[in-house]
């Protein structure tokens, strides 16, 4: 069918009720859409079946991961254009029900069904996690963390670089080096926590040990790092041994709820709290409060979403939940601060570093694309595609202020009221 792309473009616009801002290239080589725009490449009819049987973001994600959909041209531009439509329309059951009541939508869906061929739903890609049990039990948290982090240390080294820091870097200039920016982020956390020789730090969600090693080596503290990932722990222990820090760095495979050897002078939680879940967040805050000495500081570094008019309508991002961070949940920064305060913390400082994460993610995407063949060899084509889409789409979301990332500094202020904070904690440029 020579006009397949034109027909697809028309049907998509009919379903959306608005112009489709990217081109479409179909499996027969035909093309249609705005000249010069990136192209959504529909490699086969199976891509349409995935979208029809799972309308919305999850259907798109399955088609992308399976290789049935691709993008030709600048990926960031394509994501910016297409994701804007998804953000505006929403991606929940109510939105779909409303759309199905529209005769134009139903007619377009019938047209796509005709193009798609026999209506057999393709199986989800094998990279999609299968749901079992309740969210945020110790068992399901271990499983979720393993799904995300036990992809292989060599794969993460390819994407993250030698620092092995998997969280937002802290950039002095946009053209600086990733290694310098990650070192500066670790140093920023250490300064905020006022780490000094002899003090004891708990690093919750310690990853591959970068924060623990930096704090011990540069600030002379004793560190307990905890993670639920066996692969992370093994790598972190190896790095600590190579740095000659085994007397000051202990890495455990342990849930934060099971730490029983407090109190600590300081706690860092960098990119971990997104895994806690809204139902467990107050418990998380109370556990960390109890593990700190009076006057001790917590640095909570966490991605945040924008608040919704109706918070009960919030749903976890379908693609990220199925392929990236199972059971991960984002909360508005105000909700995070509220939970910390209810747990007994005094919140002393909040710094938004949203633009820094967009820069970080773009560097990670570049590293992945430059090492693509090796990334596929280390994982799978589908897993590499998951990471490319996830990181590029996240960069766009940070740039467009759809999500943010914040460092919240909180103190377990004693009854005397002495926080130990300097009168001027920040210096503005």
């Amino acid at each position: 069918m020579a006009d397949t792309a034109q027909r697809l473009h028309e049907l998509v616009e009919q379903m959306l009720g608005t112009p489709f801002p990217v081109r479409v290239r179909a499996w027969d080589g035909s093309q249609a859409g705005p000249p010069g725009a990136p192209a959504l490449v529909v490699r086969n009819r199976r891509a349409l079946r995935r979208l029809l049987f799972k309308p919305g973001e999850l259907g798109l994600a399955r088609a992308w991961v399976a290789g049935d959909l691709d993008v030709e041209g600048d990926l960031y531009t394509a994501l910016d254009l297409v994701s804007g439509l998804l953000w505006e329309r929403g991606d929940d059951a109510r939105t779909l029900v409303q759309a199905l009541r529209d005769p134009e939508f139903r007619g377009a869906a019938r047209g796509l069904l005709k193009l798609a061929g026999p209506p057999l739903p393709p199986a989800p890609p094998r990279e999609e996690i299968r749901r079992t049990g309740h969210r945020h039990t110790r068992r399901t948290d271990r499983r979720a963390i393993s799904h995300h982090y036990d992809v292989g240390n060599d794969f993460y080294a390819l994407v993250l670089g030698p620092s092995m820091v998997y969280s937002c870097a802290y950039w002095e200039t946009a053209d600086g080096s990733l290694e310098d920016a990650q070192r500066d982020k670790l140093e920023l956390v250490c300064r905020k926590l006022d780490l000094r020789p002899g003090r004891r730090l708990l690093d919750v969600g310690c990853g591959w040990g970068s924060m623990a090693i930096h704090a011990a080596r540069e600030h002379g503290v004793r560190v307990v790092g905890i993670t639920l990932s066996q692969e992370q722990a093994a790598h972190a222990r190896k790095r600590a041994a190579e740095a000659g820090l085994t007397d000051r760095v202990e890495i455990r495979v342990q849930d934060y709820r099971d730490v029983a050897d407090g109190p600590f002078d300081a706690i860092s939680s960098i990119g971990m709290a997104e895994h806690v879940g809204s139902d467990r967040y107050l418990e998380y805050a109370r556990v960390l409060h109890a593990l700190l000495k009076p006057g001790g500081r917590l640095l909570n570094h966490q991605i945040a979403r924008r608040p919704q008019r109706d918070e009960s309508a919030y749903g976890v991002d379908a693609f990220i939940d199925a392929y990236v961070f199972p059971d991960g949940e984002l909360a508005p920064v105000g909700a995070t601060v509220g939970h910390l305060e209810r747990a007994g913390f005094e919140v002393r400082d909040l710094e938004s570093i949203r633009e820094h994460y967009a820069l970080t993610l773009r560097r990670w995407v570049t590293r992945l694309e430059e090492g693509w063949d090796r990334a596929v060899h280390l994982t799978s084509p589908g897993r590499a595609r998951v990471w490319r889409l996830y990181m590029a789409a996240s960069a766009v979301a940070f740039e467009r202020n759809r999500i943010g990332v914040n460092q919240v500094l909180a103190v377990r202020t004693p009854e005397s009221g002495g926080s130990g904070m300097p009168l001027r904690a920040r210096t503005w440029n």
Side-chain angles (χ1 to χ4, degrees):
M1 184 181 293
D3 62 347
T4 301
Q6 184 63 43
R7 182 63 176 146
L8 280 173
H9 205 273
E10 292 171 352
L11 289 170
V12 170
E13 290 189 332
Q14 190 176 338
M15 294 181 80
L16 293 174
T18 188
F20 192 51
V22 300
R23 292 184 299 122
V24 171
R25 181 158 67 81
W27 55 87
D28 62 356
S30 60
Q31 299 188 49
L40 184 66
V41 181
V42 186
R43 295 196 182 282
N44 48 55
R45 298 176 190 270
R46 187 170 57 247
L48 302 184
R49 294 198 289 273
R50 291 189 187 280
L51 290 169
L52 287 165
F53 281 94
K54 210 60 163 173
E57 187 174 304
L58 186 56
L60 284 168
R62 286 177 172 176
W64 172 272
V65 175
D68 301 328
L69 282 182
D70 207 342
V71 167
E72 188 177 82
D74 186 73
L75 178 60
Y76 295 103
T77 301
L79 288 170
D80 195 16
L81 293 169
V82 174
S83 60
L85 293 176
L86 292 176
W87 284 327
E88 290 167 9
R89 291 178 59 84
D91 192 34
D92 59 22
R94 286 171 294 184
T95 303
L96 180 58
V97 169
Q98 291 167 358
L100 289 173
R101 290 173 180 162
D102 182 353
E104 289 285 315
F105 183 93
R106 293 200 304 271
R110 286 193 294 269
L112 283 177
L113 188 60
K114 184 177 179 180
L115 278 176
L120 294 175
R126 64 185 179 88
E127 290 82 6
E128 185 170 316
I129 192 169
R130 306 299 189 263
R131 292 267 164 231
T132 57
H134 297 289
R135 291 177 183 264
H136 301 299
T137 65
R138 283 170 170 77
R139 183 180 65 82
T140 57
D141 279 353
R142 282 195 302 271
R143 183 169 178 261
I145 293 299
S146 178
H147 174 85
H148 186 76
Y149 292 105
D150 292 341
V151 176
N153 293 333
D154 290 342
F155 173 80
Y156 276 102
L158 184 152
V159 174
L160 304 179
S163 71
M164 291 297 281
V165 179
Y166 183 37
S167 55
C168 176
Y170 195 63
W171 301 84
E172 184 172 1
T173 61
D175 59 354
S177 77
L178 178 61
E179 291 306 299
D180 287 346
Q182 289 292 16
R183 183 201 61 230
D184 289 349
K185 188 272 300 299
L186 298 177
E187 183 59 23
L188 177 68
V189 172
C190 291
R191 294 201 313 270
K192 287 182 176 182
L193 290 173
D194 192 28
L195 298 184
R196 301 179 188 180
R199 291 187 173 179
R200 194 162 179 249
L201 169 70
L202 174 64
D203 187 27
V204 182
C206 67
W208 293 272
S210 299
M211 173 64 190
I213 291 168
H214 181 89
R217 182 180 59 220
E218 303 299 329
H219 296 270
V221 296
R222 292 173 292 122
V223 188
V224 173
I226 60 172
T227 176
L228 296 180
S229 167
Q230 295 284 351
E231 289 198 25
Q232 282 187 336
H235 190 75
R237 289 171 186 142
K238 181 174 181 290
R239 292 178 70 196
E242 290 172 347
L245 294 170
T246 52
D247 59 330
R248 279 183 277 164
V249 174
E250 178 187 0
I251 304 295
R252 306 173 185 168
V253 178
Q254 188 175 39
D255 191 289
Y256 71 92
R257 290 163 285 196
D258 296 328
V259 177
D261 57 335
F264 295 86
D265 298 285
I267 298 176
S268 54
S269 179
I270 306 173
M272 176 272 176
E274 298 89 339
H275 296 287
V276 171
S278 57
D279 292 342
R280 297 281 188 181
Y281 205 94
L282 184 56
E283 176 190 15
Y284 159 81
R286 285 172 172 161
V287 168
L288 299 192
H289 185 270
L291 286 169
L292 274 174
K293 293 179 179 177
R297 298 183 188 182
L298 164 70
L299 190 288
N300 190 78
H301 174 122
Q302 181 177 348
I303 299 172
R305 61 176 172 84
R306 302 293 297 167
Q308 297 186 354
R309 185 171 300 174
D310 177 11
E311 279 293 315
S312 66
Y314 168 68
V316 177
D317 182 280
F319 164 61
I320 290 179
D321 192 46
Y323 288 98
V324 187
F325 286 112
D327 297 350
E329 295 180 54
L330 301 184
V333 66
T336 297
V337 168
H339 283 307
L340 292 172
E341 289 183 329
R342 281 192 288 277
F345 282 106
E346 180 189 6
V347 172
R348 295 297 306 237
D349 186 75
L350 190 156
E351 182 177 5
S352 172
I353 52 175
R354 174 174 62 83
E355 293 87 351
H356 294 255
Y357 219 156
L359 291 170
T360 305
L361 284 156
R362 282 180 175 260
R363 294 298 181 91
W364 289 343
V365 171
T366 297
R367 290 185 59 87
L368 174 62
E369 291 174 341
E370 290 175 348
W372 185 258
D373 290 343
R374 177 159 170 76
V376 168
H377 174 73
L378 290 170
T379 54
S380 69
R383 181 67 64 194
R385 290 174 66 81
V386 165
W387 280 86
R388 183 170 180 244
L389 177 62
Y390 152 63
M391 294 191 298
S394 295
V396 171
F398 280 110
E399 288 164 354
R400 294 289 178 260
N401 193 26
R402 298 289 179 174
I403 53 177
V405 61
N406 306 282
Q407 289 192 349
V408 179
L409 180 64
V411 180
R412 181 178 175 173
T413 304
E415 292 184 7
S416 67
S419 68
M421 294 288 296
L423 290 177
R424 294 188 177 186
R426 279 212 202 162
T427 301
W428 291 96
N429 293 326

